[in-house]
Amino acid sequence: MGVSRVSSVKRVCRIAFYDTRIIIFSYKFVLISVISYIFMDDSMRTVREFAATYHLDIVPASLPFYLADVDASNYVLLLLVLLFSDIPLKNGAQNYLFQRGKSTLCCGAGHIMGLFLTGAIYVAEQFAFSIMTALPHLTWGDWGKVWGSITSHQAAELGFFCSFDVPSQVLRLYTPWQAIAISAGLFFLTSCVYALIEYVLNGVTQGKLGTIVLSVWSVVWIFLVGTPFEKLRRLLSYSPQTLNDLSHFKPEEALEKALIQLAGIIILSTVALILVKRRKIELVK
């Protein structure tokens, strides 16, 4: 019994690492990474110009504000949805892995674990980009004058307008590393929820329904940011990004936000595995 469980775990890990490797080393991942960097770099341009003009250093803590911004975060999620557009993965090499395993549940669990690994790499990449876009004014420490000037609107008064909001509550309640860690963790959970929805819908329909639905979902929120109609803009308060907005809760309340998304992940994972077991989601060609 113990040997069988160890064998199953190894099989799940083998499939998960295989899936992750296929996605990460694809041309699509490279292209999406470049686009993602361009978006973040453009959002940080004014911040760098302000730092350069007044000879200030930038603490690389833009991620909590960037991922809480409805516009920016939905671009990041839209790119993630496009990255996962081919899930569930099906190819000849993977068929061989499946045929060696006796349990379709192992195959499904491997797929899901692969999505989580890829999502973690994607979020880590966003953090790496936040460091790169702070160059050459990078420094480490407390929030510093750059973020303090933006949140107090002094930078805006001098003509430097940040493309994303920097709430004073975040600077007051969190240290930079607290904000980065909590924000990245919450966004990782969001990426897992999106990936699982896409996996289930794509798998059940054997097409791109999940990719289409989530792409439209992200575009709708981006549209609402720019709409001139105030009644429609009020809907932004219901955006999923509010779960990642640190200005809406204290550090000790972050666990509650995480548990909400974790519950969704557990439910969606269970649904996915049931569908795989019942052959409603085909994992081989």
PDB file of all heavy atoms in Angstrom, residues 179-207:
ATOM      1  N   ALA A 179       4.115  43.562   2.035  1.00  0.00           N
ATOM      2  CA  ALA A 179       3.184  43.865   0.951  1.00  0.00           C
ATOM      3  C   ALA A 179       3.467  42.994  -0.273  1.00  0.00           C
ATOM      4  O   ALA A 179       2.538  42.451  -0.895  1.00  0.00           O
ATOM      5  CB  ALA A 179       3.277  45.346   0.577  1.00  0.00           C
ATOM      6  N   ILE A 180       4.740  42.841  -0.609  1.00  0.00           N
ATOM      7  CA  ILE A 180       5.113  42.035  -1.781  1.00  0.00           C
ATOM      8  C   ILE A 180       4.720  40.578  -1.574  1.00  0.00           C
ATOM      9  O   ILE A 180       4.110  39.953  -2.448  1.00  0.00           O
ATOM     10  CB  ILE A 180       6.629  42.152  -2.053  1.00  0.00           C
ATOM     11  CG1 ILE A 180       6.981  43.560  -2.529  1.00  0.00           C
ATOM     12  CG2 ILE A 180       7.076  41.115  -3.092  1.00  0.00           C
ATOM     13  CD1 ILE A 180       8.474  43.842  -2.561  1.00  0.00           C
ATOM     14  N   ALA A 181       5.062  40.027  -0.411  1.00  0.00           N
ATOM     15  CA  ALA A 181       4.795  38.609  -0.145  1.00  0.00           C
ATOM     16  C   ALA A 181       3.301  38.311  -0.119  1.00  0.00           C
ATOM     17  O   ALA A 181       2.837  37.339  -0.730  1.00  0.00           O
ATOM     18  CB  ALA A 181       5.437  38.202   1.181  1.00  0.00           C
ATOM     19  N   ILE A 182       2.522  39.145   0.575  1.00  0.00           N
ATOM     20  CA  ILE A 182       1.080  38.905   0.684  1.00  0.00           C
ATOM     21  C   ILE A 182       0.403  39.089  -0.665  1.00  0.00           C
ATOM     22  O   ILE A 182      -0.439  38.278  -1.082  1.00  0.00           O
ATOM     23  CB  ILE A 182       0.457  39.824   1.747  1.00  0.00           C
ATOM     24  CG1 ILE A 182       0.978  39.460   3.136  1.00  0.00           C
ATOM     25  CG2 ILE A 182      -1.069  39.738   1.718  1.00  0.00           C
ATOM     26  CD1 ILE A 182       0.543  40.397   4.237  1.00  0.00           C
ATOM     27  N   SER A 183       0.781  40.151  -1.373  1.00  0.00           N
ATOM     28  CA  SER A 183       0.189  40.419  -2.678  1.00  0.00           C
ATOM     29  C   SER A 183       0.499  39.310  -3.671  1.00  0.00           C
ATOM     30  O   SER A 183      -0.388  38.836  -4.393  1.00  0.00           O
ATOM     31  CB  SER A 183       0.694  41.763  -3.214  1.00  0.00           C
ATOM     32  OG  SER A 183       0.193  42.012  -4.497  1.00  0.00           O
ATOM     33  N   ALA A 184       1.765  38.880  -3.708  1.00  0.00           N
ATOM     34  CA  ALA A 184       2.157  37.811  -4.630  1.00  0.00           C
ATOM     35  C   ALA A 184       1.448  36.505  -4.288  1.00  0.00           C
ATOM     36  O   ALA A 184       0.998  35.768  -5.180  1.00  0.00           O
ATOM     37  CB  ALA A 184       3.670  37.620  -4.597  1.00  0.00           C
ATOM     38  N   GLY A 185       1.319  36.214  -2.983  1.00  0.00           N
ATOM     39  CA  GLY A 185       0.644  34.998  -2.562  1.00  0.00           C
ATOM     40  C   GLY A 185      -0.822  34.990  -2.954  1.00  0.00           C
ATOM     41  O   GLY A 185      -1.344  33.992  -3.464  1.00  0.00           O
ATOM     42  N   LEU A 186      -1.502  36.111  -2.729  1.00  0.00           N
ATOM     43  CA  LEU A 186      -2.916  36.207  -3.085  1.00  0.00           C
ATOM     44  C   LEU A 186      -3.120  36.127  -4.592  1.00  0.00           C
ATOM     45  O   LEU A 186      -4.050  35.477  -5.080  1.00  0.00           O
ATOM     46  CB  LEU A 186      -3.509  37.510  -2.538  1.00  0.00           C
ATOM     47  CG  LEU A 186      -3.652  37.603  -1.017  1.00  0.00           C
ATOM     48  CD1 LEU A 186      -4.096  39.000  -0.607  1.00  0.00           C
ATOM     49  CD2 LEU A 186      -4.642  36.565  -0.494  1.00  0.00           C
ATOM     50  N   PHE A 187      -2.225  36.769  -5.323  1.00  0.00           N
ATOM     51  CA  PHE A 187      -2.352  36.737  -6.783  1.00  0.00           C
ATOM     52  C   PHE A 187      -2.062  35.335  -7.329  1.00  0.00           C
ATOM     53  O   PHE A 187      -2.666  34.905  -8.312  1.00  0.00           O
ATOM     54  CB  PHE A 187      -1.405  37.749  -7.428  1.00  0.00           C
ATOM     55  CG  PHE A 187      -1.674  37.954  -8.902  1.00  0.00           C
ATOM     56  CD1 PHE A 187      -2.715  38.755  -9.312  1.00  0.00           C
ATOM     57  CD2 PHE A 187      -0.892  37.328  -9.865  1.00  0.00           C
ATOM     58  CE1 PHE A 187      -2.985  38.933 -10.674  1.00  0.00           C
ATOM     59  CE2 PHE A 187      -1.148  37.500 -11.215  1.00  0.00           C
ATOM     60  CZ  PHE A 187      -2.200  38.309 -11.623  1.00  0.00           C
ATOM     61  N   PHE A 188      -1.155  34.622  -6.678  1.00  0.00           N
ATOM     62  CA  PHE A 188      -0.899  33.232  -7.069  1.00  0.00           C
ATOM     63  C   PHE A 188      -2.164  32.403  -6.920  1.00  0.00           C
ATOM     64  O   PHE A 188      -2.506  31.594  -7.791  1.00  0.00           O
ATOM     65  CB  PHE A 188       0.225  32.641  -6.216  1.00  0.00           C
ATOM     66  CG  PHE A 188       0.318  31.143  -6.297  1.00  0.00           C
ATOM     67  CD1 PHE A 188       0.731  30.516  -7.461  1.00  0.00           C
ATOM     68  CD2 PHE A 188      -0.031  30.359  -5.200  1.00  0.00           C
ATOM     69  CE1 PHE A 188       0.794  29.134  -7.536  1.00  0.00           C
ATOM     70  CE2 PHE A 188       0.036  28.983  -5.270  1.00  0.00           C
ATOM     71  CZ  PHE A 188       0.441  28.362  -6.443  1.00  0.00           C
ATOM     72  N   LEU A 189      -2.878  32.584  -5.813  1.00  0.00           N
ATOM     73  CA  LEU A 189      -4.131  31.854  -5.601  1.00  0.00           C
ATOM     74  C   LEU A 189      -5.160  32.222  -6.674  1.00  0.00           C
ATOM     75  O   LEU A 189      -5.878  31.351  -7.177  1.00  0.00           O
ATOM     76  CB  LEU A 189      -4.683  32.147  -4.211  1.00  0.00           C
ATOM     77  CG  LEU A 189      -3.837  31.650  -3.029  1.00  0.00           C
ATOM     78  CD1 LEU A 189      -4.460  32.099  -1.708  1.00  0.00           C
ATOM     79  CD2 LEU A 189      -3.695  30.130  -3.055  1.00  0.00           C
ATOM     80  N   THR A 190      -5.210  33.511  -7.031  1.00  0.00           N
ATOM     81  CA  THR A 190      -6.114  33.941  -8.102  1.00  0.00           C
ATOM     82  C   THR A 190      -5.763  33.262  -9.414  1.00  0.00           C
ATOM     83  O   THR A 190      -6.647  32.803 -10.149  1.00  0.00           O
ATOM     84  CB  THR A 190      -6.047  35.471  -8.284  1.00  0.00           C
ATOM     85  OG1 THR A 190      -6.400  36.120  -7.065  1.00  0.00           O
ATOM     86  CG2 THR A 190      -7.000  35.936  -9.382  1.00  0.00           C
ATOM     87  N   SER A 191      -4.471  33.182  -9.710  1.00  0.00           N
ATOM     88  CA  SER A 191      -4.024  32.544 -10.956  1.00  0.00           C
ATOM     89  C   SER A 191      -4.401  31.065 -10.966  1.00  0.00           C
ATOM     90  O   SER A 191      -4.749  30.514 -12.018  1.00  0.00           O
ATOM     91  CB  SER A 191      -2.512  32.724 -11.135  1.00  0.00           C
ATOM     92  OG  SER A 191      -1.784  31.927 -10.216  1.00  0.00           O
ATOM     93  N   CYS A 192      -4.361  30.415  -9.803  1.00  0.00           N
ATOM     94  CA  CYS A 192      -4.748  29.000  -9.709  1.00  0.00           C
ATOM     95  C   CYS A 192      -6.241  28.825  -9.987  1.00  0.00           C
ATOM     96  O   CYS A 192      -6.643  27.870 -10.668  1.00  0.00           O
ATOM     97  CB  CYS A 192      -4.406  28.443  -8.332  1.00  0.00           C
ATOM     98  SG  CYS A 192      -2.634  28.287  -8.015  1.00  0.00           S
ATOM     99  N   VAL A 193      -7.065  29.741  -9.450  1.00  0.00           N
ATOM    100  CA  VAL A 193      -8.510  29.680  -9.695  1.00  0.00           C
ATOM    101  C   VAL A 193      -8.798  29.825 -11.185  1.00  0.00           C
ATOM    102  O   VAL A 193      -9.568  29.051 -11.770  1.00  0.00           O
ATOM    103  CB  VAL A 193      -9.242  30.783  -8.896  1.00  0.00           C
ATOM    104  CG1 VAL A 193     -10.713  30.861  -9.318  1.00  0.00           C
ATOM    105  CG2 VAL A 193      -9.142  30.517  -7.400  1.00  0.00           C
ATOM    106  N   TYR A 194      -8.168  30.807 -11.818  1.00  0.00           N
ATOM    107  CA  TYR A 194      -8.356  31.032 -13.258  1.00  0.00           C
ATOM    108  C   TYR A 194      -7.913  29.800 -14.051  1.00  0.00           C
ATOM    109  O   TYR A 194      -8.609  29.365 -14.986  1.00  0.00           O
ATOM    110  CB  TYR A 194      -7.552  32.245 -13.711  1.00  0.00           C
ATOM    111  CG  TYR A 194      -8.291  33.557 -13.595  1.00  0.00           C
ATOM    112  CD1 TYR A 194      -8.762  34.019 -12.373  1.00  0.00           C
ATOM    113  CD2 TYR A 194      -8.523  34.364 -14.698  1.00  0.00           C
ATOM    114  CE1 TYR A 194      -9.437  35.222 -12.252  1.00  0.00           C
ATOM    115  CE2 TYR A 194      -9.194  35.577 -14.601  1.00  0.00           C
ATOM    116  CZ  TYR A 194      -9.646  36.005 -13.375  1.00  0.00           C
ATOM    117  OH  TYR A 194     -10.320  37.206 -13.270  1.00  0.00           O
ATOM    118  N   ALA A 195      -6.755  29.243 -13.706  1.00  0.00           N
ATOM    119  CA  ALA A 195      -6.221  28.092 -14.429  1.00  0.00           C
ATOM    120  C   ALA A 195      -7.159  26.889 -14.329  1.00  0.00           C
ATOM    121  O   ALA A 195      -7.387  26.181 -15.319  1.00  0.00           O
ATOM    122  CB  ALA A 195      -4.839  27.734 -13.896  1.00  0.00           C
ATOM    123  N   LEU A 196      -7.723  26.668 -13.144  1.00  0.00           N
ATOM    124  CA  LEU A 196      -8.623  25.527 -12.947  1.00  0.00           C
ATOM    125  C   LEU A 196      -9.933  25.703 -13.715  1.00  0.00           C
ATOM    126  O   LEU A 196     -10.459  24.740 -14.293  1.00  0.00           O
ATOM    127  CB  LEU A 196      -8.904  25.332 -11.452  1.00  0.00           C
ATOM    128  CG  LEU A 196      -7.761  24.730 -10.647  1.00  0.00           C
ATOM    129  CD1 LEU A 196      -8.017  24.879  -9.149  1.00  0.00           C
ATOM    130  CD2 LEU A 196      -7.555  23.266 -11.001  1.00  0.00           C
ATOM    131  N   ILE A 197     -10.468  26.913 -13.721  1.00  0.00           N
ATOM    132  CA  ILE A 197     -11.688  27.171 -14.495  1.00  0.00           C
ATOM    133  C   ILE A 197     -11.427  26.907 -15.976  1.00  0.00           C
ATOM    134  O   ILE A 197     -12.233  26.264 -16.670  1.00  0.00           O
ATOM    135  CB  ILE A 197     -12.169  28.619 -14.279  1.00  0.00           C
ATOM    136  CG1 ILE A 197     -12.646  28.820 -12.833  1.00  0.00           C
ATOM    137  CG2 ILE A 197     -13.290  28.970 -15.260  1.00  0.00           C
ATOM    138  CD1 ILE A 197     -12.980  30.255 -12.482  1.00  0.00           C
ATOM    139  N   GLU A 198     -10.300  27.393 -16.443  1.00  0.00           N
ATOM    140  CA  GLU A 198      -9.943  27.199 -17.855  1.00  0.00           C
ATOM    141  C   GLU A 198      -9.743  25.719 -18.168  1.00  0.00           C
ATOM    142  O   GLU A 198     -10.172  25.219 -19.214  1.00  0.00           O
ATOM    143  CB  GLU A 198      -8.675  27.989 -18.183  1.00  0.00           C
ATOM    144  CG  GLU A 198      -8.348  28.060 -19.658  1.00  0.00           C
ATOM    145  CD  GLU A 198      -7.253  29.061 -19.960  1.00  0.00           C
ATOM    146  OE1 GLU A 198      -6.638  29.592 -19.004  1.00  0.00           O
ATOM    147  OE2 GLU A 198      -6.996  29.315 -21.153  1.00  0.00           O
ATOM    148  N   TYR A 199      -9.096  25.013 -17.250  1.00  0.00           N
ATOM    149  CA  TYR A 199      -8.839  23.580 -17.421  1.00  0.00           C
ATOM    150  C   TYR A 199     -10.154  22.800 -17.527  1.00  0.00           C
ATOM    151  O   TYR A 199     -10.325  21.963 -18.426  1.00  0.00           O
ATOM    152  CB  TYR A 199      -8.016  23.071 -16.237  1.00  0.00           C
ATOM    153  CG  TYR A 199      -7.712  21.597 -16.261  1.00  0.00           C
ATOM    154  CD1 TYR A 199      -6.634  21.102 -16.992  1.00  0.00           C
ATOM    155  CD2 TYR A 199      -8.489  20.686 -15.538  1.00  0.00           C
ATOM    156  CE1 TYR A 199      -6.345  19.738 -17.007  1.00  0.00           C
ATOM    157  CE2 TYR A 199      -8.206  19.329 -15.549  1.00  0.00           C
ATOM    158  CZ  TYR A 199      -7.131  18.868 -16.278  1.00  0.00           C
ATOM    159  OH  TYR A 199      -6.856  17.519 -16.302  1.00  0.00           O
ATOM    160  N   VAL A 200     -11.091  23.083 -16.631  1.00  0.00           N
ATOM    161  CA  VAL A 200     -12.361  22.366 -16.615  1.00  0.00           C
ATOM    162  C   VAL A 200     -13.178  22.663 -17.871  1.00  0.00           C
ATOM    163  O   VAL A 200     -13.673  21.739 -18.544  1.00  0.00           O
ATOM    164  CB  VAL A 200     -13.166  22.722 -15.347  1.00  0.00           C
ATOM    165  CG1 VAL A 200     -14.594  22.198 -15.452  1.00  0.00           C
ATOM    166  CG2 VAL A 200     -12.490  22.153 -14.106  1.00  0.00           C
ATOM    167  N   LEU A 201     -13.338  23.944 -18.197  1.00  0.00           N
ATOM    168  CA  LEU A 201     -14.164  24.308 -19.348  1.00  0.00           C
ATOM    169  C   LEU A 201     -13.546  23.845 -20.662  1.00  0.00           C
ATOM    170  O   LEU A 201     -14.254  23.345 -21.550  1.00  0.00           O
ATOM    171  CB  LEU A 201     -14.396  25.820 -19.363  1.00  0.00           C
ATOM    172  CG  LEU A 201     -15.261  26.388 -18.232  1.00  0.00           C
ATOM    173  CD1 LEU A 201     -15.399  27.896 -18.361  1.00  0.00           C
ATOM    174  CD2 LEU A 201     -16.632  25.732 -18.206  1.00  0.00           C
ATOM    175  N   ASN A 202     -12.229  24.010 -20.808  1.00  0.00           N
ATOM    176  CA  ASN A 202     -11.563  23.523 -22.023  1.00  0.00           C
ATOM    177  C   ASN A 202     -11.671  22.005 -22.123  1.00  0.00           C
ATOM    178  O   ASN A 202     -11.909  21.452 -23.197  1.00  0.00           O
ATOM    179  CB  ASN A 202     -10.090  23.931 -22.026  1.00  0.00           C
ATOM    180  CG  ASN A 202      -9.864  25.376 -22.433  1.00  0.00           C
ATOM    181  OD1 ASN A 202     -10.818  26.112 -22.646  1.00  0.00           O
ATOM    182  ND2 ASN A 202      -8.617  25.779 -22.534  1.00  0.00           N
ATOM    183  N   GLY A 203     -11.472  21.330 -20.982  1.00  0.00           N
ATOM    184  CA  GLY A 203     -11.480  19.872 -20.989  1.00  0.00           C
ATOM    185  C   GLY A 203     -12.841  19.285 -21.290  1.00  0.00           C
ATOM    186  O   GLY A 203     -12.960  18.349 -22.085  1.00  0.00           O
ATOM    187  N   VAL A 204     -13.893  19.830 -20.683  1.00  0.00           N
ATOM    188  CA  VAL A 204     -15.253  19.309 -20.886  1.00  0.00           C
ATOM    189  C   VAL A 204     -15.706  19.513 -22.330  1.00  0.00           C
ATOM    190  O   VAL A 204     -16.358  18.641 -22.913  1.00  0.00           O
ATOM    191  CB  VAL A 204     -16.228  19.981 -19.900  1.00  0.00           C
ATOM    192  CG1 VAL A 204     -17.674  19.673 -20.273  1.00  0.00           C
ATOM    193  CG2 VAL A 204     -15.944  19.510 -18.483  1.00  0.00           C
ATOM    194  N   THR A 205     -15.389  20.674 -22.894  1.00  0.00           N
ATOM    195  CA  THR A 205     -15.836  20.980 -24.261  1.00  0.00           C
ATOM    196  C   THR A 205     -14.849  20.507 -25.321  1.00  0.00           C
ATOM    197  O   THR A 205     -15.156  20.574 -26.515  1.00  0.00           O
ATOM    198  CB  THR A 205     -16.038  22.497 -24.431  1.00  0.00           C
ATOM    199  OG1 THR A 205     -14.798  23.184 -24.186  1.00  0.00           O
ATOM    200  CG2 THR A 205     -17.087  23.011 -23.454  1.00  0.00           C
ATOM    201  N   GLN A 206     -13.648  20.063 -24.877  1.00  0.00           N
ATOM    202  CA  GLN A 206     -12.583  19.656 -25.792  1.00  0.00           C
ATOM    203  C   GLN A 206     -12.289  20.765 -26.802  1.00  0.00           C
ATOM    204  O   GLN A 206     -12.097  20.527 -27.988  1.00  0.00           O
ATOM    205  CB  GLN A 206     -12.952  18.357 -26.512  1.00  0.00           C
ATOM    206  CG  GLN A 206     -13.130  17.178 -25.564  1.00  0.00           C
ATOM    207  CD  GLN A 206     -13.345  15.871 -26.295  1.00  0.00           C
ATOM    208  OE1 GLN A 206     -12.759  15.627 -27.345  1.00  0.00           O
ATOM    209  NE2 GLN A 206     -14.174  15.009 -25.729  1.00  0.00           N
ATOM    210  N   GLY A 207     -12.282  21.979 -26.283  1.00  0.00           N
ATOM    211  CA  GLY A 207     -12.035  23.138 -27.127  1.00  0.00           C
ATOM    212  C   GLY A 207     -11.418  24.266 -26.321  1.00  0.00           C
ATOM    213  O   GLY A 207     -10.619  24.026 -25.413  1.00  0.00           O
TER     214      GLY A 207
END
